[in-house]
Amino acid sequence: MRVLTLTGVFSVHAGGDDELVYGLTPASRLLVGSGMYVTPFLTLMLGTVFVSSFFDLGEWFRHELLDPSPFKFAHGRHIWDLADHDASFGKLFDDGMVADSSFIMDVVVKECSDVFQGISSLVDVAGTTQTIAKAFPHVESSVLDLPHVVANAPTDTDVKYIAGDMFESIPSANSVFLKRDELEWKKIIFEAGFSSYKIIPVLGVRSIIEVYP
């Protein structure tokens, strides 16, 4: 709770008999069953596996080459590998990513709907497009994800789920959703032959990047 109050997820004030009284903030209202429900993502971020990755930061910084990442340094595997080999963490990771993507997609659809104009097909790589499919039923929406994720995908939806590996191939479409930081994206964009790009802020550090020929 100290972490959550210091980061503004909950408010706190002194009550009677030296007890602390916690309250909801705009952020924590997303944890109590609203339309945008992010509890699985917060559970992932504050779980033992993620938090323990920071316990050995001092030792990690003493290495001449800062590789592997703090997560791999602590657990011996990258996060994707651990999710594949640890069923309980894999379930926690998948649920957290779905909740995070659904939350962001709700914001994107409401605030940046113009970016979907002229699009007839879309592939979301390792994510969820159900929000987009509902908001833009004319768009043929697909999700590319690992086989074990697709095997547990919902069937009562207009979204098509495709089993595959983004590092091997991505199905063709008018548009593709991927998640990277700007430096990685800049490298990918220019190596792919595009001339420029524009970043559209959405929420916090989250943005949409439009690329141009």
Side-chain angles (χ1 to χ4, degrees):
M1 291 302 295
R2 285 199 297 269
V3 173
L4 296 175
T5 54
L6 287 172
T7 55
V9 176
F10 291 103
S11 63
V12 60
H13 63 272
D17 299 325
D18 296 326
E19 292 184 350
L20 296 178
V21 178
Y22 298 97
L24 296 176
T25 66
S28 54
R29 293 186 186 278
L30 297 172
L31 307 176
V32 292
S34 66
M36 296 184 290
Y37 186 59
V38 298
T39 296
F41 181 72
L42 189 62
T43 301
L44 172 66
M45 291 295 101
L46 294 179
T48 302
V49 174
F50 260 96
V51 173
S52 63
S53 301
F54 299 99
F55 293 167
D56 295 322
L57 279 181
E59 184 65 26
W60 181 71
F61 276 117
R62 292 188 185 97
H63 282 67
E64 183 177 352
L65 298 177
L66 298 184
D67 186 62
S69 66
F71 189 95
K72 186 176 181 181
F73 184 80
H75 301 290
R77 297 179 184 270
H78 287 299
I79 183 170
W80 303 105
D81 292 335
L82 185 61
D84 286 340
H85 289 84
D86 185 321
S88 60
F89 176 72
K91 179 66 165 56
L92 190 69
F93 182 75
D94 291 343
D95 290 347
M97 293 297 98
V98 168
D100 180 57
S101 294
S102 297
F103 171 63
I104 295 301
M105 286 300 102
D106 280 336
V107 177
V108 167
V109 166
K110 292 175 182 176
E111 303 294 333
C112 306
S113 60
D114 57 309
V115 301
F116 297 95
Q117 294 180 2
I119 293 176
S120 61
S121 59
L122 178 148
V123 172
D124 188 0
V125 177
T128 174
T129 64
Q130 295 184 43
T131 302
I132 296 174
K134 292 178 181 178
F136 307 99
H138 66 282
V139 177
E140 181 183 337
S141 300
S142 303
V143 172
L144 173 71
D145 217 321
L146 296 174
H148 76 275
V149 177
V150 173
N152 296 312
T155 57
D156 56 341
T157 176
D158 293 331
V159 175
K160 179 181 179 181
Y161 287 86
I162 304 170
D165 186 339
M166 63 175 287
F167 296 106
E168 295 180 359
S169 66
I170 295 176
S172 61
N174 292 151
S175 58
V176 177
F177 270 159
L178 294 167
K179 301 177 180 69
R180 298 277 191 272
D181 63 29
E182 183 181 355
L183 290 177
E184 292 175 322
W185 266 115
K186 184 176 181 179
K187 183 175 184 294
I188 292 171
I189 289 168
F190 291 128
E191 286 186 355
F194 293 97
S195 62
S196 62
Y197 64 91
K198 180 175 72 173
I199 296 178
I200 306 171
V202 175
L203 181 68
V205 298
R206 306 302 182 96
S207 304
I208 290 177
I209 303 177
E210 289 185 335
V211 299
Y212 306 97

